Amino acid sequence: MTTIDNNSSNNKHKIDDTDRTTNLKNLDIQRRQLETESSTIVQELTSPPGPGLEPIGIDAPLVDAEGYPRADIDLYHATDLRKRLAVIRGDYKTIMRKIEGGLVSFGGGAISNNEKEKQARLEKKPKPKFDPVSKKWVVRNSDGSVAGIENGHLQSFDLIGSSSEQQQLRQLQQQQQVATDNAATADTSSSSKPIAQTQAELRQAEEKKLKPFAMIDDVFPESPADKAGLRVGDLLLRFGTADHMNHRDLKAIADMVPEASLEARGIPIVVLRCKNAELGLDEIITVDVQDRDLWNTVRMKFFPKLWSGRGLLGCHLKQI
């Protein structure tokens, strides 16, 4: 009798695994369809509708400098495209959560992401904090990120007001963004030189305070990572707006990559590359990262996208 029960249980598990596999395949088909449609929409929004005309833009104003509706584009069509893109983004995130949950369910006894999220939402919420950098009151999201400030989904609520050094780093990041915005609107005159110098100084000061939070321990040939210039042994200082303070166990990168892929948008990244190219991975991790004379700081732009291999990156990150 026990043997029959065990056989029935095994058959049930096989059926469940088959159903999960089929479901994951269907979800992957939907994911690819959304990515294809999104790529088509983004291309239309970012391409000039005619010679000498400005693109519609993904989030650019649909009015001219005087506040009148743009006469060089079809406003109704532009609005429909943007609405559809917003829907695709939402559907894409939902599908990716389902795929991740389906993969987790193959590990017997694992708690699904939905259950974890429910548990997190039921936990007692901490009191709001005053953020001395943005000068705003902020609250904690269920995933530990920050609600109430720009790019809060990439920051940790626990680090708000935690130490003077971390606050200084966040202030430098905001100052660099202000300098970048000013540079984008400044005239190409002699006044742009001090701005460029300010940007370089802020960037150098900021990068010195950054700490590596992940190592690239594998890069696949002809992948987006390979084409971006990443190498095995690179230590990640920054990936977009994610750094050692706010990457949330690399979840910030996982959140960032699909959206960038949908928009065909490059993500700026900064890595430390050991000058001693003969060292192995186990040896690289022991090199003093505070002594920047032993390292090259390398900046590049990463374009996540579908390729012949798995995922959108084509490399493996190991948290350190």
Side-chain angles (χ1 to χ4, degrees), residues 35-190:
E35 287 174 346
T36 300
E37 184 181 359
S38 170
S39 178
T40 302
I41 292 175
V42 169
Q43 183 175 2
E44 182 172 353
L45 289 174
T46 56
S47 301
L53 299 178
E54 291 293 327
I56 296 172
I58 294 176
D59 54 6
L62 297 179
V63 295
D64 57 24
E66 298 179 355
Y68 292 100
R70 287 178 57 180
D72 58 336
I73 60 175
D74 184 338
L75 291 177
Y76 292 105
H77 183 57
T79 302
D80 288 342
L81 287 177
R82 290 184 174 185
K83 286 182 178 178
R84 177 56 187 160
L85 185 60
V87 172
I88 289 175
R89 287 176 175 173
D91 292 345
Y92 189 84
K93 289 180 180 179
T94 300
I95 287 176
M96 292 302 293
R97 282 197 295 267
K98 289 181 178 179
I99 290 176
E100 189 177 352
L103 291 173
V104 170
S105 67
F106 276 104
I111 300 177
S112 70
N113 288 342
N114 288 337
E115 290 174 345
K116 288 182 179 179
E117 184 175 350
K118 289 178 182 178
Q119 291 176 1
R121 291 183 182 279
L122 291 174
E123 291 178 356
K124 186 177 179 180
K125 301 294 187 298
K127 294 181 179 179
K129 289 183 180 180
F130 181 75
D131 178 22
V133 177
S134 64
K135 309 299 183 184
K136 295 180 179 179
W137 284 93
V138 296
V139 296
R140 182 184 185 276
N141 290 322
S142 59
D143 62 354
S145 59
V146 182
I149 57 176
E150 186 178 1
N151 291 326
H153 65 293
L154 300 176
Q155 300 186 35
S156 171
F157 180 81
D158 295 335
L159 293 178
I160 296 294
S162 57
S163 72
S164 58
E165 179 180 346
Q166 291 163 345
Q167 291 303 328
Q168 289 173 5
L169 180 55
R170 294 186 60 221
Q171 287 173 342
L172 280 171
Q173 292 172 342
Q174 287 200 345
Q175 291 169 7
Q176 185 181 34
Q177 184 61 48
V178 170
T180 302
D181 294 341
N182 290 340
T185 58
D187 296 331
T188 55
S189 61
S190 59

